[in-house]
Amino acid sequence: MSLWSHRDFRLLWAGDTISQFGSAIGRTVLPLLAVGALAATPFEMGVLSAASTAAFLLIGLPAGVWVDRLSRRPVMLVADFTRAALLLSVPVAWWLGLLTLTHLVVVALLVGAATVLFDVAYQSYLPALVGREQLVDGNSKLEASRAVAEVSGPAAAGGVAQAVGAAVGVLATAAGYLVSALFLLRIRTVEPPPPKPEKPGLRHEIAEGLRFVFGHRSLRAIVGCTGTANFFGGMAAAVLVLFLVREIGLSEGVVGLVLSAAGVGGVLGALTVNRWNARFGQTTVIWLSGLVTWPLGVLVPFGAADWRIVFVVVGEAAVAYGATVYNIAQVSYRQSICPDHLLGRMNASIRFVVWGAMPLGGLVGGLLGGGIGVTATLFAGMACQAAAVLWVVLSPLRSRDAVTA
């Protein structure tokens, strides 16, 4: 059955699309709020960036156990409602004159914790919803929505921030999570009951997931590549808005437009991933996509508030394109080779490392931005992010036995 005619997948897709749009606005408007309204320093921006992904380090591994023990859709619903409530507190505090950077950091940290549970549950839920034979198609459609949100969200966030204030933009993020939950509530597919573990116990179940991931050479390479890219990507992300606003002097609205234009790369990646797979094969796409696109990211720090702004757009778009193709290929590959009862722990084990690297990178980026300068930090982050692809280039994914390696 085509996924276009799959009612429950359409509901998941619609809810995820709206949620992603709200998230894209939030990722742009929170830093703008910190920079513009709260006069955040480079280090404080690094702390805020780190807080948004720190939960992957704090609860990433137990989250996989919890998701494997429970039905996954209810976990997603609780996460959506929790994120909405937390984000609503930001504009309320702003209107009351009580908003502080500490408030933003705490909200980012707790929203990140709910996101950990949602993402691990979502990636573990998709195979049961659409079947393993349609994973690439399902992931590409969901990734296309995320990429479109990356294009339109920053522009909307920048426009809202400039017109009525960044705090108002946070409302769109909260509303997106609420609408996502309403769509998820309408899904009728009944999940199979989660199996009981042979040896129940948090430590044993975590260890079982880690053994599966790190005992598989191809999965180890994917973890190394994604974790390294995320660390240095987090380092660059911590200073990117500072670079655009303070170093080259763009307004909030233009920042949103620039980031949206760069996001076109992600949309094109999602729309063309099936062609990559048909031409090269899924395992080849995992290493080839980053090899030919990520090095262009070093163009970003050469941007300026004249014709050279094209360097920022091209560099960010190339990285987004390659990352989207890479992510669809490697997530679908992981889902296809993992037993059902380990899906939550496999996803959580990998996300513990690869997303846990982002807050560390954000902190390093904030420290370096205040030390060696924002532009130098941005260049170092983009260059090292490009080198991360060597993990998969030099892995068994280049051979025909990648499924079992």
Side-chain angles (χ1 to χ4, degrees), residues 20 24 141-154 260 263-271 320 324:
Q20 291 291 351
K141 285 179 169 57
L142 291 166
E143 190 68 13
S145 295
R146 185 201 64 79
V148 170
E150 292 293 337
V151 172
S152 53
S260 291
V264 171
V267 177
L268 293 176
L271 294 176
T324 299

Side-chain angles (χ1 to χ4, degrees), residues 13-393:
W13 190 11
D16 183 69
T17 298
I18 296 169
S19 175
Q20 291 291 351
F21 186 85
S23 295
I25 292 176
R27 283 191 297 272
T28 302
V29 81
L30 284 178
L32 286 174
L33 186 60
V35 170
L38 301 177
T41 66
F43 177 72
E44 288 171 336
M45 290 296 289
V47 171
L48 180 61
S49 176
S52 64
T53 50
F56 285 94
L57 282 175
L58 299 175
I59 66 166
L61 291 176
V65 175
W66 300 331
V67 168
D68 278 341
R69 289 177 177 178
L70 303 168
S71 295
R72 284 140 188 178
R73 187 169 67 107
V75 173
M76 296 160 66
L77 286 166
V78 170
D80 268 344
F81 286 125
T82 300
R83 291 185 289 187
L86 287 165
L87 287 166
L88 283 171
S89 73
V90 173
V92 171
W94 172 253
W95 291 327
L96 294 175
L98 301 175
L99 185 64
T100 64
L101 187 69
T102 300
H103 186 150
L104 284 185
V105 169
V106 171
V107 167
L109 180 65
L110 295 178
V111 167
T115 298
V116 170
L117 292 167
F118 183 94
D119 286 355
V120 171
Y122 140 73
Q123 288 194 341
S124 305
Y125 181 58
L126 188 62
L129 188 67
V130 304
R132 291 176 186 259
E133 68 281 357
Q134 292 183 298
L135 283 173
V136 172
D137 190 20
N139 280 318
S140 66
K141 285 179 169 57
L142 291 166
E143 190 68 13
S145 295
R146 185 201 64 79
V148 170
E150 292 293 337
V151 172
S152 53
V160 169
Q162 192 161 340
V164 295
V168 178
V170 180
L171 283 174
T173 306
Y177 291 135
L178 286 175
V179 176
S180 171
L182 294 176
F183 276 105
L184 291 174
L185 283 169
R186 297 179 60 202
I187 292 177
R188 298 172 183 168
T189 299
V190 178
E191 294 179 67
K196 293 183 179 180
E198 294 181 3
K199 295 181 179 180
L202 188 63
R203 180 180 296 181
H204 174 81
E205 292 174 68
I206 288 175
E208 190 178 8
L210 289 169
R211 281 195 301 269
F212 176 79
V213 170
F214 291 100
H216 194 289
R217 287 186 296 161
S218 294
L219 291 182
R220 282 203 308 271
I222 288 171
V223 171
C225 175
T226 314
T228 304
N230 282 356
F231 176 86
F232 290 107
M235 192 171 96
V239 296
L240 179 59
V241 171
L242 285 171
F243 172 76
L244 295 175
V245 174
R246 294 184 183 169
E247 297 293 308
I248 65 176
L250 301 183
S251 68
E252 292 176 330
V254 175
V255 168
L257 290 174
V258 167
L259 296 180
S260 291
V264 171
V267 177
L268 293 176
L271 294 176
T272 58
V273 66
N274 287 330
R275 295 183 182 180
W276 280 77
N277 283 336
R279 175 66 177 84
F280 300 107
Q282 187 181 64
T283 55
T284 298
V285 171
I286 292 174
W287 60 266
L288 183 61
S289 55
L291 183 66
V292 300
T293 59
W294 294 352
L296 291 173
V298 298
L299 292 173
V300 173
F302 292 101
D306 51 29
W307 66 268
R308 288 170 292 177
I309 197 65
V310 72
F311 290 149
V312 179
V313 174
V314 170
E316 288 286 320
V319 172
Y321 180 91
T324 299
V325 174
Y326 166 82
N327 280 329
I328 292 171
Q330 61 94 0
V331 168
S332 300
Y333 170 76
R334 283 160 37 194
Q335 290 169 329
S336 68
I337 65 171
C338 182
D340 286 338
H341 71 283
L342 281 173
L343 276 168
R345 281 166 287 172
M346 179 274 291
N347 288 319
S349 296
I350 291 177
R351 281 180 170 254
F352 170 74
V353 178
V354 304
W355 284 81
M358 293 179 71
L360 300 179
L363 287 174
V364 170
L367 289 169
L368 287 178
I372 66 174
V374 168
T375 303
T377 301
L378 185 60
F379 181 84
M382 296 308 255
C384 293
Q385 183 182 45
V389 74
L390 293 175
W391 281 94
V392 286
V393 169

